[in-house]
Amino acid sequence: MATSFYRTTDAYEPLAGSENAAKKSASAGPSVNEVPRSPGLSERDSPLSPGGVLRQELDCYFREATWKLRMKIFQCECWSVFGDDLHYFTIPFCLRAELGINAYVKAFAETNDLPGTLTLAEVQQHKAFKFSAPVLSMKYVQMNVLGVARPGQTVEHKPYVSLVISNVGQSSDRIVPNPTRPWLELYALDSDPKKKKSLLKDEGQGHCYHASVLEFETEDKKKQFDVLLDGELYGPFYRIRISACTLPEDQNEIQDLPVMTYLPLDLV
């Protein structure tokens, strides 16, 4: 999602077996789809470069994908304090929202001009690194396996090392989300003051929630927190509310982003 690929239909090579198309292609010169090879070598002798293989596979993927996946779009409503002024923002996102250690590491790296490729363990070695788990209250509307909402739940203020709200899954996720459904998967890892050495390690001790609406708020408005939305850093805020992105004229109509793929992922 972070990178966009644009290609017009005129850029695609003609189908094999078409004599007229082959003549047209030959007269037009090299195709923009031609895979780059090492100079001075023939097509038979020159191996494909990694970049050439990647471009070829991407071209094939976008040409041949036939199933439309309607990925739901969510919004993060944010409240912040700057001086004596209160501010309100609404930020849409598609993939995931992250609070706690991941957002802190991103902010710390940007503040200290550290490379974005550093791992958590490498950033932790910095002498100025000092993470304090944000103390937040949590409210959420839980969904059952049939997608029916249960009465809202409230969790009192407590420190969280990590909060991950996912719409599109990653290999590290405890629960695989379904991006076609109007709800999210939340993984909450509490901070245990008795285990300071394991503060930054996820040992599978967290809790999983299946929710459609989530709200997090600090106990003190001066102690605000950052949030990562689709990998981009925003904040600081003292309160956020995450829900499905709907149309102003119809609150029941949820916005979605059509993405082409090979197999139908909505099998339920």
Side-chain angles (χ1 to χ4, degrees), residues 101-130 233:
I101 184 63
N102 291 334
Y104 177 82
V105 168
K106 178 80 170 180
F108 182 84
E110 291 184 357
T111 303
N112 293 274
D113 295 326
L114 300 179
T117 56
L118 294 180
T119 64
L120 172 58
E122 292 171 332
V123 175
Q124 187 183 355
Q125 299 302 319
H126 196 282
K127 60 182 180 180
F129 184 88
K130 186 178 180 181
L233 186 68

Side-chain angles (χ1 to χ4, degrees), residues 36-145:
R37 300 176 182 274
S38 301
L41 296 178
S42 66
E43 180 176 347
R44 179 177 180 180
D45 298 330
S46 176
L48 290 174
S49 66
V53 173
L54 177 61
R55 194 178 75 179
Q56 189 179 56
E57 292 303 315
L58 285 172
D59 288 343
C60 178
Y61 184 91
F62 287 108
R63 283 203 306 266
E64 304 298 332
T66 56
W67 292 94
K68 183 183 294 184
L69 174 71
R70 291 196 170 276
M71 182 169 59
K72 298 302 180 184
I73 302 176
F74 290 83
Q75 62 182 7
C76 181
E77 300 174 79
C78 311
W79 289 262
S80 63
V81 177
F82 293 98
D84 296 329
D85 299 328
L86 296 178
H87 297 269
Y88 170 79
F89 308 87
T90 299
I91 307 171
F93 70 97
C94 292
L95 305 181
R96 60 182 48 222
E98 300 175 81
L99 292 75
I101 184 63
N102 291 334
Y104 177 82
V105 168
K106 178 80 170 180
F108 182 84
E110 291 184 357
T111 303
N112 293 274
D113 295 326
L114 300 179
T117 56
L118 294 180
T119 64
L120 172 58
E122 292 171 332
V123 175
Q124 187 183 355
Q125 299 302 319
H126 196 282
K127 60 182 180 180
F129 184 88
K130 186 178 180 181
F131 172 68
S132 179
V135 179
L136 306 171
S137 65
M138 178 172 63
K139 299 178 182 179
Y140 61 94
V141 176
Q142 192 171 12
M143 312 292 290
N144 64 16
V145 293

